[in-house]
Amino acid sequence: MDYSLLWLDWKPKEVLPAYTKCITGMPATRQGKAALRELVSGLQAMGAEPEVRCGQASSVPSIHLKEYLGKDDKVTLRRSGDGMELAGSGTSLLYGVFHLLRHLAMGEEFPQWESAPAYPIRMLDHWDNADGSIERGYAGLSFFFRDGKPVCTERTRDYARLLASCGLNGCCINNVNVHGNALKLLTGSYKRELKRIALCLAEYGVSLWLCVSFSAPMELGGLDTADPLDGEVKRWWKETCLHLFTAIPNLAGFLIKADSEGRPGPHTYGRTQAEGANMLADAVSPFGGKILWRCFVYNCTQDWRDTKTDRARAQCDHFAPLDGQFRDNVYLQIKNGPVDFQIREPVSPLLGRLEHTASLLEFQIAQEYTGQQRHVCYLIPMFREILDFRFHSRPERDRTADRISAVCAVSNTGNDYNWTGHDLAAANLFGFGLISWDPAADPAEIAREWSILTFGDDPAVTETVTGILLPSREVYEKYSSPLGIGWMCVPETHYGPSPEGFEFDRWGTYIRANHREIGVERGPEGTGFTEQYSPELAAMYRGVASCPEELLLFFHRLPYDYRMKDGRTLLQRIYDDHFEGYEEAAAMSEAWDKLADKLEPEVFRRVQERFREQLRCAAEWRDVVNTWLYRLTMIPDEKGRRIYP
Amino acid sequence: MDYSLLWLDWKPKEVLPAYTKCITGMPATRQGKAALRELVSGLQAMGAEPEVRCGQASSVPSIHLKEYLGKDDKVTLRRSGDGMELAGSGTSLLYGVFHLLRHLAMGEEFPQWESAPAYPIRMLDHWDNADGSIERGYAGLSFFFRDGKPVCTERTRDYARLLASCGLNGCCINNVNVHGNALKLLTGSYKRELKRIALCLAEYGVSLWLCVSFSAPMELGGLDTADPLDGEVKRWWKETCLHLFTAIPNLAGFLIKADSEGRPGPHTYGRTQAEGANMLADAVSPFGGKILWRCFVYNCTQDWRDTKTDRARAQCDHFAPLDGQFRDNVYLQIKNGPVDFQIREPVSPLLGRLEHTASLLEFQIAQEYTGQQRHVCYLIPMFREILDFRFHSRPERDRTADRISAVCAVSNTGNDYNWTGHDLAAANLFGFGLISWDPAADPAEIAREWSILTFGDDPAVTETVTGILLPSREVYEKYSSPLGIGWMCVPETHYGPSPEGFEFDRWGTYIRANHREIGVERGPEGTGFTEQYSPELAAMYRGVASCPEELLLFFHRLPYDYRMKDGRTLLQRIYDDHFEGYEEAAAMSEAWDKLADKLEPEVFRRVQERFREQLRCAAEWRDVVNTWLYRLTMIPDEKGRRIYP
């Protein structure tokens, strides 16, 4: 096998509870049967030899699988005599089994559990291209596509197992930028292989989603328009969906990136985003299909001279006025921040504005701007912050977690042996699953669980790994773009520093630093972005003193000698952060080095190599950002540390 | 035909001299026969109906072709009775015929001419890849390669005609970065097609050259080393050359880029550049072959923090100590400046240091850094400056033109209809030919001739076209990188402005601007580059006051308030240049617009479109460079023009 099983590589346990000796119950669904299989093989891997007594009660302590019919996601693990009962629908049994196995692997006494996922859609978005490459992919090539075609392999099944084991239930397998052969996924060409993938995923309760091109009626149907109000266009989509949904079981719907970064969309025809989305929603609706409509719509040919247009405003400006105009089976897919997956952004104000429209929160575990799976950057604490964020626009159920109806993450997987390039990046995959199920999950506990499942239960290893993971986002932030300003990375690659790389480009991502000041003013005197929030939040962000310091340069243009709350100047804070960030990364790397004897040599070595690259790059970030600011301001570091004049 | 004939598209003349009525003489060589054919068809295109009386004297005024045997390049056109005699070896007859035709087309009375080319090698270097792409190619795809293989077509012949018509006699058809199928040009795979190309070129006196990879013995020969002193390696090259030179007539030798930008070379084995070049020289020598050895050797993984290493020094540092160690059939191919084809560089000091080694001056008409054939940039005045440059290291024959033994230019051609993308860029191709023949040729006269041959003899057209071409290099310089500093372009594309795009990168191309100063000091207190010149030149460049102002920021680090000779500050000069440069480009574009009625509509429109792009990009250069400097210095433009704060 040319890949690892990540956290599903169950390790032998010395002591197992008595009830692991016997399994009773006879699940009828394919998912229920998969649950039984996983339970048996999982327990066997841990050293138990469970007797399976299908359907019969047992006189010895046992695990009884009780399958309900229906689509209810609720799962219950509870004591039943000397044993346990695990009850739920087919897919819920799977969740229950994996929960049980994980907790047995952790050596916990009795994993009593009664739970249901917070959202009905918890999915991964893959940016895999038909040619096998992955846009912003940092873990090898695609395992969904090869040579222009979808492929279903043994890995597809293990992928589905990994998803189910952390509570995920969907994946969109192709890139939102649909090009090349990926266009043809909509039509007959690859139906057989797609069906195999869909069935393989279905066994683990994972739905298949596809990205489609809004102009498919032209590209594939030979029409001369893709106008969503055109009768021919509607008919084409309806017919195409009839064929596709009939041929492919377990197809949940489409994800669409429209009118953004050169993608076609309803704006081309003077139609609103709602008119575009609803037309597709009507086409998939007879099959119970859903439309995930990305809100990543902005002017991507901006003129840097123009200081009025603010890319951060675009989502609200485009979508807030349309609230309530979307069909029930449309979900607006909204990135967590108003710009694009920077290491620190405020929560997207659009998430607080939709009252009559379903929204899907989009995270990115691919680390496009956060170290590209070469730097450790455990993102779950950030996700938790975002989910916990209060908008102050409703009296209750006002947090992001309450407001959204679904959640997804741009995936960090590829066909690398370890799936995620950096072994430690798998914590983001696992953690995203757990926090999607329960947005109140504790990131520290997730890290601890992931570490034990992955590396075993040596407390020294667990302590070191969690000690690396938990602060890693702040460490990355410290040595990269400061205080929410973002966009100091190399334009083409989005990796490594280039403070003015985007400054005169067309992407609307400006820093506007001069000798005296830095940043874009987003208060009412500036672009007015702050006013997209509720009055309470707007007041907080508007005020320089009340604005959270970690977001100061996202919201405000400030002089370098601005005094931070602790008395340091803004510039000194940036210098300090960059020196400290590197030192902290170095300490993480040293901590890892001490695990040499405690881990598989290959795993140890792979991560060690990544740390070497992280340190090289962190030094580059530190020196480039500090040097650039020093040259601009000519204000030396108060502590006299090395900056290159 | 899907391409134009450029300046060889002879136009009908109302009046032609009497001697065009008859042609006598019977050339025996293939080149001589081609000369006769060109003469007949050229005169016919101009409206004459010459009688061809092979070998016989004529009683009517005639052109007598007198072919000498031998390889002498001398050509003579002189009166002979009422007619003219054109005398020379076969290829020289071709040069004479084209000279005659060009001057008849110009309407000149009697083109008396006695000439010989200044250099035996006058060639184009093509950076064409085997897959048909062209590295830094701005005029379409390759016409030498298609789908991984060399191809010989009708266009190959017309290419050879174009070269001969302006006096060029060689071309290297593949990229100096040898990869993919191009590696195999050395071995049997493509011999048949290469032979066809070689024969096609030979008819017009154009020699074929090939770029080879220094590590070919490993890549192709299966050896485990390419060490030039290894016996197996030597043997492999000798055998390979035996096969290749035997199979392909008219093969002149190899061009090699070694030990540069990731290319393999003798340094890998601890050998000198001379040992590497000489080994190859010995292998090609039995066949009269020559080795063109590129001196573009430098550390391309520089650390921007390192202020001691200076890429400008690299050529002299590497090659000057080796002077005299190279075989007679080795030519050191030296770029015109010490860095890399920037819009303004001093002449490479290495050209003034070689006393016992043949050197080949390398120009670039591909306009990689000078507008990429989307901006007008007539480079011949710059080439003339470089050829006229005196090194002050010999009492006489001390100019570049005297010191070099050969000349080449990186070609600007591709399979676009007009060969060079921008119609006006063909003037660089033509002009490079003429100035290679005669380094004292007048760039203004060349422009005039090219304009008349290309666009006809309407004086208004000629005046406008030459009025655009002649100042175009200074115009580009004004709105782009100022005063020799270079490297303010976008790193990936080398097109458009990004003042700090290279600043923290590995290429050794730094500007090191801060709030007070800009530039790299290259005097003895700095990198010491100035000391690579003769004492007289070193003294001139070393002194800030004596350094030519147009090169001030190449040689010196200066404060923005440094006073230029005319009293302006350095910064104000840069601001002024950028505003003026744009205005001058706009004036060029307006002048072109007035030719709408006087040119073929397609030609007019193509150039007009290019001007639109040039103006867009010139405005970008102006605004970005000015804004960047303003933000850095906070010193406003004295004239209050628009800069974006």
Side-chain angles (χ1 to χ4, degrees):
Chain A
M1 207 164 65
D2 59 352
Y3 54 89
S4 79
L5 288 175
L6 299 177
W7 57 84
L8 292 184
D9 187 13
W10 310 114
K11 288 149 193 77
K13 301 294 293 179
E14 286 190 17
V15 185
L16 280 167
Y19 56 74
T20 60
K21 293 210 169 80
C22 181
I23 304 170
T24 62
M26 190 167 59
T29 63
R30 295 171 61 227
Q31 293 80 11
K33 285 175 181 159
L36 175 58
R37 212 168 50 238
E38 290 292 336
L39 182 58
V40 172
S41 64
L43 290 176
Q44 283 170 341
M46 290 184 204
E49 292 172 11
E51 179 191 2
V52 181
R53 305 180 63 174
C54 293
Q56 297 172 19
S58 168
S59 54
V60 297
S62 65
I63 303 169
H64 181 64
L65 299 184
K66 184 170 176 186
E67 185 176 47
Y68 296 121
L69 293 186
K71 288 221 153 189
D72 186 7
D73 274 341
K74 201 178 133 192
V75 56
T76 314
L77 261 78
R78 59 179 184 83
R79 276 188 203 283
S80 169
D82 292 339
M84 94 159 25
E85 182 187 81
L86 198 169
S89 69
T91 306
S92 299
L93 284 187
L94 267 170
Y95 299 136
V97 162
F98 281 119
H99 183 89
L100 172 60
L101 290 172
R102 277 164 27 210
H103 285 262
L104 288 174
M106 305 255 298
E108 289 181 4
E109 192 49 30
F110 185 85
Q112 176 114 7
W113 198 42
E114 180 161 342
S115 189
Y119 313 109
I121 300 173
R122 310 173 300 282
M123 64 189 283
L124 289 180
D125 288 2
H126 294 266
W127 289 356
D128 293 21
N129 298 314
D131 65 5
S133 63
I134 303 180
E135 184 166 327
R136 309 298 175 188
Y138 312 109
L141 296 173
S142 173
F143 49 78
F144 287 118
F145 296 94
R146 200 185 295 147
D147 301 331
K149 286 179 289 196
V151 287
C152 185
T153 67
E154 185 66 15
R155 192 160 189 156
T156 317
R157 196 169 156 275
D158 282 312
Y159 167 80
R161 295 176 64 223
L162 286 168
L163 262 57
S165 75
C166 61
L168 295 171
N169 73 346
C171 67
C172 184
I173 63 171
N174 67 310
N175 189 355
V176 288
N177 296 314
V178 184
H179 42 64
N181 274 7
L183 278 165
K184 298 196 233 161
L185 292 173
L186 254 185
T187 56
S189 322
Y190 307 120
K191 273 181 194 160
R192 209 163 64 182
E193 205 64 16
L194 276 184
K195 183 175 171 182
R196 288 186 60 195
I197 294 176
L199 288 173
C200 181
L201 298 173
E203 192 170 2
Y204 284 86
V206 177
S207 297
L208 176 68
W209 299 77
L210 293 176
C211 284
V212 298
S213 165
F214 193 77
S215 53
M218 300 165 75
E219 293 148 349
L220 298 169
L223 304 191
D224 57 7
T225 179
D227 181 350
L229 301 195
D230 182 274
E232 284 289 309
V233 170
K234 290 185 198 180
R235 199 169 312 129
W236 187 87
W237 277 109
K238 276 179 198 283
E239 276 173 27
T240 301
C241 288
L242 174 64
H243 291 299
L244 192 69
F245 279 83
T246 315
I248 300 169
N250 190 33
L251 179 63
F254 299 146
L255 167 58
I256 296 102
K257 173 177 177 179
D259 285 316
S260 178
E261 298 181 338
R263 304 302 307 158
H267 283 173
T268 312
Y269 308 97
R271 311 302 181 188
T272 68
Q273 297 292 307
E275 286 168 323
N278 291 343
M279 181 274 291
L280 289 174
D282 293 342
V284 302
S285 147
F287 319 101
K290 296 179 175 60
I291 294 298
L292 313 179
W293 190 264
R294 267 181 128 216
C295 297
F296 192 51
V297 172
Y298 71 100
N299 174 5
C300 67
T301 57
Q302 221 174 297
D303 188 330
W304 58 270
R305 300 165 189 83
D306 166 15
T307 54
K308 300 284 174 235
T309 309
D310 182 2
R311 174 169 165 179
R313 291 188 57 114
Q315 291 195 17
C316 260
D317 284 347
H318 281 116
F319 286 91
L322 300 175
D323 186 25
Q325 295 183 27
F326 293 90
R327 297 278 189 276
D328 284 350
N329 60 334
V330 174
Y331 290 69
L332 292 186
Q333 181 164 323
I334 303 167
K335 293 192 184 196
N336 63 258
V339 190
D340 193 15
F341 300 135
Q342 301 301 293
I343 188 67
R344 177 80 66 173
E345 292 186 43
V347 179
S348 173
L350 182 58
L351 289 164
R353 293 285 286 276
L354 300 174
E355 296 296 344
H356 312 287
T357 305
S359 59
L360 190 166
L361 173 59
E362 179 178 327
F363 291 125
Q364 191 197 49
I365 54 178
Q367 293 183 240
E368 176 178 356
Y369 296 95
T370 56
Q372 300 191 350
Q373 298 159 234
R374 283 183 271 181
H375 299 225
V376 189
C377 192
Y378 179 58
L379 293 163
I380 311 307
M382 174 167 117
F383 295 174
R384 175 68 195 271
E385 270 170 39
I386 291 161
L387 289 161
D388 281 348
F389 184 77
R390 268 207 68 190
F391 284 94
H392 295 273
S393 52
R394 285 179 190 168
E396 51 184 29
R397 297 196 56 72
D398 182 45
R399 298 175 314 134
T400 303
D402 304 322
R403 291 181 149 273
I404 59 174
S405 306
V407 62
C408 75
V410 180
S411 184
N412 60 358
T413 55
N415 71 355
D416 274 1
Y417 179 80
N418 65 1
W419 296 78
T420 55
H422 200 311
D423 285 73
L424 299 184
N428 284 326
L429 181 57
F430 180 78
F432 168 68
L434 264 59
I435 208 160
S436 302
W437 181 282
D438 174 14
D442 176 10
E445 183 47 39
I446 293 173
R448 194 181 77 84
E449 180 175 346
W450 175 81
S451 176
I452 293 172
L453 295 179
T454 305
F455 299 121
D457 57 8
D458 180 332
V461 173
T462 311
E463 197 181 324
T464 299
V465 170
T466 56
I468 287 170
L469 288 177
L470 290 175
S472 60
R473 181 247 186 148
E474 273 74 19
V475 170
Y476 185 87
E477 181 183 33
K478 275 183 161 185
Y479 60 69
S480 63
S481 299
L483 302 170
I485 202 164
W487 302 107
M488 287 188 175
C489 59
V490 174
E492 281 286 311
T493 60
H494 299 179
Y495 187 78
S498 177
E500 295 209 322
F502 278 99
E503 193 57 25
F504 302 104
D505 214 327
R506 63 198 174 100
W507 300 101
T509 49
Y510 310 115
I511 289 168
R512 304 197 187 282
N514 68 22
H515 174 61
R516 296 197 196 104
E517 297 175 318
I518 186 168
V520 169
E521 180 56 44
R522 290 200 163 100
E525 314 288 297
T527 71
F529 169 74
T530 52
E531 309 311 297
Q532 294 187 331
Y533 290 93
S534 62
E536 188 160 344
L537 290 184
M540 176 181 78
Y541 288 136
R542 202 187 292 144
V544 175
S546 55
C547 179
E549 285 202 326
E550 68 273 15
L551 284 167
L552 210 46
L553 290 178
F554 186 92
F555 283 104
H556 296 290
R557 179 167 181 78
L558 291 170
Y560 298 102
D561 59 1
Y562 172 81
R563 288 283 163 188
M564 305 292 284
K565 292 194 176 74
D566 64 7
R568 286 183 288 177
T569 64
L570 173 68
L571 182 67
Q572 190 58 40
R573 162 70 186 268
I574 298 174
Y575 285 154
D576 287 349
D577 276 3
H578 281 74
F579 286 112
E580 288 166 22
Y582 175 82
E583 294 304 328
E584 287 164 15
M588 280 164 30
S589 169
E590 280 164 31
W592 182 263
D593 284 344
K594 299 210 177 91
L595 299 183
D597 302 334
K598 295 175 182 285
L599 297 169
E600 282 176 41
E602 264 308 285
V603 172
F604 173 77
R605 188 199 53 76
R606 274 202 305 266
V607 174
Q608 195 180 42
E609 258 178 27
R610 301 259 155 178
F611 267 122
R612 222 166 273 153
E613 166 57 15
Q614 179 171 1
L615 287 189
R616 184 204 64 75
C617 188
E620 204 64 13
W621 270 105
R622 174 196 65 195
D623 291 343
V624 169
V625 172
N626 285 347
T627 297
W628 173 72
L629 283 170
Y630 173 72
R631 290 180 182 177
L632 198 50
T633 62
M634 305 298 277
I635 301 170
D637 171 43
E638 286 170 8
K639 296 181 187 155
R641 289 162 294 193
R642 187 82 193 263
I643 294 179
Y644 300 81
Chain B
M1 208 164 71
D2 60 351
Y3 54 90
S4 78
L5 287 175
L6 298 178
W7 58 84
L8 291 185
D9 187 13
W10 310 114
K11 288 149 194 76
K13 300 296 291 177
E14 284 188 20
V15 186
L16 282 168
Y19 56 74
T20 60
K21 292 208 170 79
C22 182
I23 304 169
T24 61
M26 190 167 61
T29 64
R30 293 170 63 228
Q31 293 78 12
K33 285 175 181 161
L36 175 58
R37 211 168 49 239
E38 290 290 336
L39 182 58
V40 172
S41 63
L43 289 176
Q44 283 171 342
M46 290 183 201
E49 292 173 13
E51 181 191 0
V52 181
R53 303 181 66 176
C54 293
Q56 298 173 23
S58 165
S59 54
V60 297
S62 64
I63 303 168
H64 182 65
L65 299 183
K66 184 172 178 186
E67 186 176 44
Y68 295 122
L69 294 185
K71 288 223 156 190
D72 187 6
D73 274 340
K74 199 177 136 193
V75 55
T76 315
L77 261 77
R78 58 178 185 81
R79 275 187 205 285
S80 167
D82 293 337
M84 92 160 28
E85 184 186 81
L86 199 170
S89 70
T91 306
S92 299
L93 283 187
L94 266 170
Y95 299 135
V97 161
F98 282 118
H99 184 87
L100 172 59
L101 290 172
R102 277 167 23 212
H103 285 262
L104 287 175
M106 305 257 297
E108 289 182 3
E109 194 48 32
F110 186 87
Q112 177 113 9
W113 197 42
E114 181 162 340
S115 189
Y119 313 108
I121 299 174
R122 309 174 300 283
M123 66 189 283
L124 288 180
D125 288 2
H126 294 267
W127 289 355
D128 294 21
N129 298 315
D131 66 5
S133 64
I134 303 180
E135 184 166 325
R136 309 296 173 190
Y138 312 109
L141 297 173
S142 173
F143 50 79
F144 287 119
F145 295 93
R146 200 187 293 150
D147 302 331
K149 286 179 289 198
V151 286
C152 185
T153 67
E154 185 65 14
R155 193 161 188 155
T156 317
R157 195 168 158 276
D158 282 312
Y159 167 80
R161 295 177 63 225
L162 286 168
L163 261 58
S165 75
C166 61
L168 295 171
N169 73 346
C171 67
C172 185
I173 63 171
N174 67 310
N175 188 355
V176 286
N177 295 315
V178 184
H179 42 64
N181 273 5
L183 278 165
K184 298 193 229 158
L185 292 173
L186 254 186
T187 55
S189 323
Y190 308 120
K191 272 181 195 163
R192 207 162 63 179
E193 206 63 16
L194 276 184
K195 184 176 172 182
R196 289 186 60 197
I197 294 175
L199 289 174
C200 181
L201 298 173
E203 191 169 4
Y204 285 85
V206 177
S207 298
L208 176 68
W209 299 77
L210 293 175
C211 284
V212 299
S213 165
F214 193 77
S215 53
M218 300 166 75
E219 292 148 349
L220 298 168
L223 303 191
D224 57 8
T225 179
D227 181 349
L229 301 196
D230 181 275
E232 284 289 309
V233 170
K234 291 186 200 180
R235 199 169 314 129
W236 186 87
W237 277 108
K238 276 180 198 280
E239 276 172 28
T240 300
C241 289
L242 174 63
H243 291 297
L244 191 70
F245 280 83
T246 314
I248 300 171
N250 190 33
L251 179 62
F254 299 145
L255 167 58
I256 296 101
K257 173 177 177 178
D259 287 315
S260 178
E261 298 182 337
R263 305 299 310 159
H267 283 174
T268 312
Y269 308 98
R271 310 303 182 188
T272 68
Q273 298 292 306
E275 286 168 323
N278 291 343
M279 180 275 291
L280 289 174
D282 292 342
V284 301
S285 149
F287 319 100
K290 296 179 173 61
I291 294 298
L292 314 180
W293 190 264
R294 265 180 128 220
C295 298
F296 192 51
V297 172
Y298 71 101
N299 173 5
C300 66
T301 56
Q302 220 175 300
D303 189 329
W304 58 270
R305 301 165 188 81
D306 166 15
T307 53
K308 301 282 175 239
T309 309
D310 182 3
R311 175 169 163 178
R313 291 188 56 115
Q315 291 194 18
C316 259
D317 284 347
H318 281 117
F319 287 92
L322 300 175
D323 186 25
Q325 295 184 26
F326 293 89
R327 296 280 188 275
D328 284 349
N329 60 335
V330 173
Y331 290 69
L332 292 186
Q333 181 163 321
I334 303 167
K335 294 193 184 197
N336 63 260
V339 189
D340 193 14
F341 300 136
Q342 301 301 292
I343 187 66
R344 178 79 67 175
E345 292 186 42
V347 178
S348 173
L350 182 57
L351 288 164
R353 293 284 285 276
L354 301 174
E355 298 294 345
H356 312 286
T357 305
S359 59
L360 190 166
L361 173 59
E362 178 179 326
F363 291 123
Q364 190 197 49
I365 54 178
Q367 292 182 243
E368 177 178 356
Y369 295 96
T370 57
Q372 301 191 351
Q373 297 158 235
R374 283 183 272 181
H375 299 225
V376 190
C377 193
Y378 179 59
L379 293 162
I380 311 307
M382 174 168 116
F383 295 174
R384 175 69 196 270
E385 271 170 37
I386 291 161
L387 289 161
D388 281 350
F389 184 78
R390 267 206 69 189
F391 285 93
H392 295 273
S393 52
R394 287 180 189 166
E396 51 185 31
R397 298 196 55 72
D398 181 46
R399 299 174 315 135
T400 303
D402 305 321
R403 291 180 150 272
I404 60 176
S405 306
V407 61
C408 74
V410 180
S411 184
N412 59 358
T413 55
N415 72 354
D416 274 0
Y417 179 81
N418 66 1
W419 296 78
T420 54
H422 200 311
D423 285 73
L424 299 184
N428 284 327
L429 181 56
F430 180 80
F432 167 68
L434 264 61
I435 208 161
S436 301
W437 182 282
D438 174 13
D442 176 9
E445 184 46 41
I446 292 173
R448 195 180 76 86
E449 180 175 345
W450 175 80
S451 177
I452 293 172
L453 296 178
T454 305
F455 298 123
D457 57 7
D458 180 333
V461 174
T462 312
E463 197 180 321
T464 300
V465 170
T466 56
I468 288 170
L469 288 177
L470 290 174
S472 61
R473 181 246 186 149
E474 272 75 18
V475 170
Y476 184 88
E477 180 182 34
K478 275 183 161 185
Y479 61 68
S480 63
S481 299
L483 303 169
I485 203 164
W487 301 107
M488 287 189 176
C489 58
V490 175
E492 281 286 311
T493 60
H494 298 180
Y495 186 78
S498 177
E500 295 209 323
F502 277 98
E503 193 57 25
F504 302 104
D505 215 329
R506 64 197 174 99
W507 301 101
T509 49
Y510 309 115
I511 290 169
R512 304 196 189 282
N514 68 21
H515 174 60
R516 297 198 194 103
E517 297 174 319
I518 186 168
V520 169
E521 180 58 42
R522 290 200 162 100
E525 313 288 295
T527 71
F529 168 74
T530 53
E531 311 310 296
Q532 293 188 331
Y533 290 94
S534 61
E536 187 159 345
L537 290 184
M540 176 180 79
Y541 288 136
R542 201 187 294 142
V544 174
S546 56
C547 179
E549 285 202 327
E550 68 273 14
L551 284 167
L552 211 45
L553 291 178
F554 186 93
F555 283 104
H556 296 291
R557 180 170 181 77
L558 290 170
Y560 298 103
D561 59 0
Y562 172 81
R563 290 283 164 187
M564 305 293 285
K565 293 194 176 75
D566 63 9
R568 287 184 288 178
T569 64
L570 173 69
L571 183 67
Q572 190 58 40
R573 161 71 186 269
I574 298 175
Y575 285 155
D576 288 348
D577 276 3
H578 281 76
F579 286 112
E580 288 166 22
Y582 175 82
E583 294 304 328
E584 287 164 15
M588 281 165 26
S589 170
E590 280 164 33
W592 182 263
D593 285 343
K594 299 209 177 89
L595 298 183
D597 302 334
K598 295 175 181 287
L599 297 170
E600 283 178 41
E602 263 307 286
V603 172
F604 174 76
R605 188 198 54 73
R606 274 202 304 264
V607 174
Q608 194 180 41
E609 257 178 28
R610 301 261 155 176
F611 267 123
R612 221 165 274 154
E613 166 57 15
Q614 180 171 2
L615 287 190
R616 184 205 65 74
C617 189
E620 203 64 15
W621 270 106
R622 174 196 65 195
D623 291 344
V624 168
V625 172
N626 285 347
T627 297
W628 174 72
L629 283 170
Y630 174 72
R631 290 181 182 176
L632 197 51
T633 62
M634 303 300 279
I635 301 170
D637 172 43
E638 285 169 10
K639 296 181 187 155
R641 289 162 294 193
R642 186 81 193 262
I643 294 179
Y644 300 82

